[in-house]
Amino acid sequence: MSRKNIDGTFGFSTRAVHGGNEVDGETGAIRRPITMANSYELPYDPSDINWSSSDGSIYTRNGGANQRYLQEKLALLHNAPDCVVLASGVAALAGVFFSFLKSGDHVIISDSTYIAAYRLLHELFPSKFGVEHTLVDSSRTELVKAAVKKNTKLIHIETPSNPTIKVSDIAAIAEIAREAGALLSVDNTFASPYDQRPLELGADLVVESLTKYINGHGDAMGGAVFGERVFIDRIRSDAMVNLGGTISPFNAWLIMRGAVTLPLRMRQHNETALKVARFLEAQPQVRFVAYPGLESHKGHEVAKKQMPAGFGGVLAFGLHTDHDGHNRFVSKLRVLTNAVSLGHDESLVVFLGENDERQYLYPEEFHKGFFRLSLGLEDPEDIIEDIRQALAAAGI
Ligand SMILES: *Cc1c(COP(=O)(O)O)cnc(C)c1O
């Protein structure tokens, strides 16, 4: 809690501005400084210190000043009892899996997730550690329930999901996890805490890639896990101190700065994405559009319930053209940038071709290749005009 006592009773924007900030004790500056130190001064007799502890200030891998300031701010945004900030979103995912799974355990994972979650739970954890898994279409709650086994310890879902924008019912799956005695972790990166707060819906752990909306400026990587103190402490000790996925103080500072404007940016991302989704849906060259804000999206009703402020800034769509036609379209764009990632200030588009390795898990309409489009903060009219001219210039 900051000196101004900014707690969960304040509005989201007030928490985003003031959370984690303090007047600097040494200079009186109204911003906390960047502390680029690896080590902190030890007491006269350090012999009782546990060198693997993340409680005090010892060594930056065990927790540094800027990491702690950022944790204070972000925990407030998710109304979370605690939060750990790590070097990337994948360090956060790996931290959850490494801390809560062991040989002989079973994990249920959405069939549509960020590629590293799939790689970790579908390949690396089974082959290296003997962790069993079941991939399920978690947008169908009954399939999650049917996948539960005696040794199920974790259910990991992502909603809306990367890259097929599936929506899963967090509250219903939290109920299944509770009955199974398993933890539910939700990758919330596509929504950010402005649009969706899974802890309030019964999830045990929430993962965010800070690289995306929370930093929002495309210039720093980070990840975070939110939940009860006992869970987060375990991740701190197992996955931060002992695996070493610590964030750099400079990146923590940049993300703290970016997060101040999260609510403003999310309002714009939500609004632009809905406009562009409606525009795309009306174009004869467009084969399909997947965006939870559209009435045509299978998960629209669930999304309305669990994303009351908006449906995020990412959509997927395909064109009535062949492989080369999709690439030609991208080559004609002047405003949208041909690059991976999402949640940046600039709009980003990536073509996922028909021979993508997870093709077999995608819904039918994705099989001919599709785009993932992350709507940025440009004027929506310029984005729409750019798409219109690129469709014409590519002869689609
Ligand atoms: C990007 C992303 C991640 C990984 O985050 P990094 O910061 O790139 O490691 C995890 N989950 C989702 C949904 C993502 O989009």
Side-chain angles (χ1 to χ4, degrees):
M1 197 186 291
S2 72
R3 207 170 55 118
K4 292 188 173 170
N5 289 333
I6 301 299
D7 59 18
T9 63
F10 287 82
F12 191 92
S13 298
T14 305
R15 284 178 271 150
V17 170
H18 291 287
N21 194 33
E22 285 261 19
V23 170
D24 177 39
E26 187 179 337
T27 62
I30 63 168
R31 291 270 152 169
R32 280 171 149 174
I34 312 179
T35 303
M36 293 297 289
N38 295 353
S39 308
Y40 292 78
E41 191 182 40
L42 293 172
Y44 170 76
D45 179 4
S47 58
D48 285 340
I49 291 178
N50 169 2
W51 303 115
S52 298
S53 157
S54 54
D55 291 342
S57 294
I58 310 170
Y59 187 54
T60 294
R61 179 160 39 71
N62 302 45
N66 292 95
Q67 182 202 330
R68 293 208 175 91
Y69 307 154
L70 180 58
Q71 285 170 180
E72 275 179 45
K73 184 188 285 297
L74 299 184
L76 279 171
L77 298 185
H78 263 295
N79 284 327
D82 202 358
C83 152
V84 58
V85 164
L86 295 156
S88 67
V90 167
L93 287 168
V96 169
F97 305 154
F98 184 75
S99 302
F100 298 102
L101 293 171
K102 60 176 184 344
S103 301
D105 288 347
H106 173 249
V107 54
I108 298 171
I109 174 175
S110 297
D111 67 359
S112 178
T113 62
Y114 189 69
I115 184 77
Y118 171 80
R119 192 79 67 216
L120 285 165
L121 294 181
H122 183 66
E123 291 173 11
L124 299 175
F125 273 63
S127 67
K128 288 178 187 291
F129 306 126
V131 171
E132 291 175 42
H133 75 295
T134 309
L135 285 166
V136 297
D137 177 356
S138 59
S139 70
R140 294 176 56 197
T141 305
E142 73 280 8
L143 296 184
V144 179
K145 196 176 174 95
V148 170
K149 297 188 184 186
K150 271 207 198 73
N151 55 341
T152 304
K153 292 288 156 52
L154 180 71
I155 301 177
H156 177 75
I157 64 171
E158 187 176 306
T159 180
S161 73
N162 192 352
T164 54
I165 326 289
K166 273 189 192 171
V167 169
S168 300
D169 188 330
I170 299 168
I173 296 173
E175 193 56 43
I176 294 168
R178 199 163 27 246
E179 279 169 21
L183 297 178
L184 172 62
S185 78
V186 179
D187 186 330
N188 200 56
T189 301
F190 271 40
S192 90
Y194 183 77
D195 283 345
Q196 178 172 275
R197 289 182 294 281
L199 294 177
E200 294 172 1
L201 301 166
D204 300 291
L205 297 161
V206 172
V207 173
E208 296 272 2
S209 166
L210 308 178
T211 311
K212 314 294 170 54
Y213 289 109
I214 292 179
N215 179 51
H217 294 75
D219 52 11
M221 303 199 88
V225 189
F226 303 81
E228 291 293 342
R229 180 92 208 251
V230 282
F231 296 145
I232 301 304
D233 269 346
R234 185 136 152 210
I235 297 172
R236 270 194 195 103
S237 93
D238 290 7
M240 184 176 73
V241 179
N242 292 314
L243 281 186
T246 309
I247 194 166
S248 115
F250 184 56
N251 282 5
W253 181 85
L254 277 174
I255 294 167
M256 179 117 170
R257 185 184 202 266
V260 168
T261 55
L262 179 70
L264 277 171
R265 290 185 284 103
M266 285 316 295
R267 282 198 282 277
Q268 185 71 34
H269 288 300
N270 289 338
E271 200 182 302
T272 300
L274 188 56
K275 264 189 201 154
V276 173
R278 293 226 160 97
F279 162 78
L280 287 169
E281 209 172 33
Q283 305 312 302
Q285 302 97 322
V286 173
R287 196 158 37 81
F288 78 95
V289 187
Y291 182 65
L294 294 176
E295 291 74 14
S296 61
H297 192 278
K298 271 196 201 122
H300 181 61
E301 289 308 316
V302 173
K304 270 203 305 200
K305 194 177 62 169
Q306 64 193 21
M307 305 178 82
F311 302 97
V314 188
L315 56 80
F317 72 104
L319 300 174
H320 283 296
T321 183
D322 57 10
H323 185 95
D324 190 56
H326 283 95
N327 284 325
R328 214 163 52 242
F329 165 75
V330 172
S331 75
K332 302 294 181 190
L333 290 165
R334 296 196 310 234
V335 177
L336 313 188
T337 305
N338 179 16
V340 295
S341 201
L342 54 104
H344 292 194
D345 43 21
E346 67 185 295
S347 295
L348 300 171
V349 64
V350 54
F351 175 51
L352 294 159
E354 57 278 30
N355 37 22
D356 189 278
E357 69 169 290
R358 288 191 295 169
Q359 169 80 252
Y360 75 103
L361 295 168
Y362 296 159
E364 182 80 43
E365 62 272 29
F366 290 79
H367 289 188
K368 290 181 178 158
F370 63 99
F371 300 112
R372 186 187 67 199
L373 171 60
S374 167
L375 281 317
L377 303 174
E378 302 94 340
D379 292 288
E381 299 72 26
D382 289 337
I383 294 171
I384 286 172
E385 187 44 41
D386 195 33
I387 295 172
R388 200 195 301 277
Q389 69 77 26
L391 285 171
I396 292 159

